[in-house]
Amino acid sequence: MTYSPDLLDREVRLAITHLALLTEWTIGEDASLRMLDLPGDSHFPDSRHPDELPPVTDYEIGRRVSTLESYVHAQRWADTVAADIQQLRFVVEGVFPPSVVAEYEAEKADGEWEHVPAPFEEGAGDVPLGYFHNGLMSQLVDLAAARLKVDQDEPLTMGEIALLTGKRDATVTTTAYRKVFPTYEHDGKRYAATADVLPWLVQNGYLPTQGRDEPMDSAPIPEHIEDYLFVPVARDGSIFAPSCASGGRFTIGEKGSETRFDSYTDALEALQRMPTPRWRRPGPKGVAGTVAGVRFERLARSRVEAA
């Protein structure tokens, strides 16, 4: 899971805006404005634009998101994690139901905004709100819930193991069938006990949670923690890797509005900011072609460099 801070911040702002509008429509405008406790010079009452809200950490939802970010990305335990997961999931499912997400996806389908302006940049107020939603809060909650199951020594599904390692579900399922770690089936789903799969998780990049009163000691701590990258993956499973360079440069973006970079890292960061990442890569016959990413995966740098 990767994103720029602006992407998650804007999605949280969008959720707050949804909640404010729901309050206004059900209780009244005064109630929604009192709920937001806006400063006197705020433009939000007139614009109802998410960028006009105060910092998201002024609100409980922003603080909960921050706690789960720290839990997922920095492996820092907090006693509120379980409650934060439960309550944020309730918010996400309430304000971003499938029907709303479908409308947002339709807004982005034409690809009109290849570059989305940052808050308060020129044109930021014209960006359709669909571009504020990227499913990041839902992904964050799912990742946190999977990590919590490890910390509470609960069985993991193959999908949860895939989430925790950044691998595809099919890869984890194949690994399980090869009996790399023991699994069992229950109600049509395959599970692995945390104690059985934890060594394999750690070997594949999972970092145990720090700061718990009773840390689990069954997982070996690797002597070397490998660097990981979040890279876009095309529909055929290929990734954006250093081997995509042509003449020592990386070409990204849609045909006709492409950008070139000398640095792989700079090109990867630019792809991570795109609504739909696109890059040129050598084809099977040596002819370069443009592909679009359908998801991001967390992969070891060594694997990316070898691709």
Side-chain angles (χ1 to χ4, degrees), residues 158-226:
M158 299 302 100
E160 289 163 341
I161 293 170
L163 268 178
L164 293 169
T165 55
K167 297 182 180 296
R168 287 180 290 179
D169 288 12
T171 300
V172 173
T173 300
T174 300
T175 301
Y177 278 115
R178 289 175 179 168
K179 302 188 183 303
V180 175
F181 50 81
T183 62
Y184 63 93
E185 199 161 314
H186 178 68
D187 287 344
K189 283 189 176 182
R190 186 161 293 277
Y191 293 85
T194 290
D196 290 333
V197 74
L198 192 50
W200 183 87
L201 285 173
V202 172
Q203 290 168 11
N204 285 271
Y206 176 80
L207 300 176
T209 302
Q210 306 299 313
R212 285 174 56 82
D213 292 336
E214 298 177 357
M216 296 181 63
D217 56 9
S218 57
I221 303 300
E223 294 180 4
H224 170 67
I225 303 297
E226 184 166 13

Side-chain angles (χ1 to χ4, degrees), residues 61 64-65 68 84-92 141:
I61 186 174
R64 293 186 186 278
V65 166
L68 292 192
D84 292 337
I85 292 170
Q86 180 185 37
Q87 293 173 24
L88 273 181
R89 190 184 298 282
F90 183 83
V91 170
V92 170
V141 168

Side-chain angles (χ1 to χ4, degrees), residues 97-111:
S99 58
V100 170
V101 172
E103 289 180 12
Y104 283 154
E105 290 304 313
E107 285 185 336
K108 294 186 286 188
D110 59 9

Side-chain angles (χ1 to χ4, degrees), residues 276-287:
T276 301
R278 290 182 171 85
W279 67 95
R280 289 180 69 81
R281 63 168 188 197
K285 297 183 179 179
V287 179

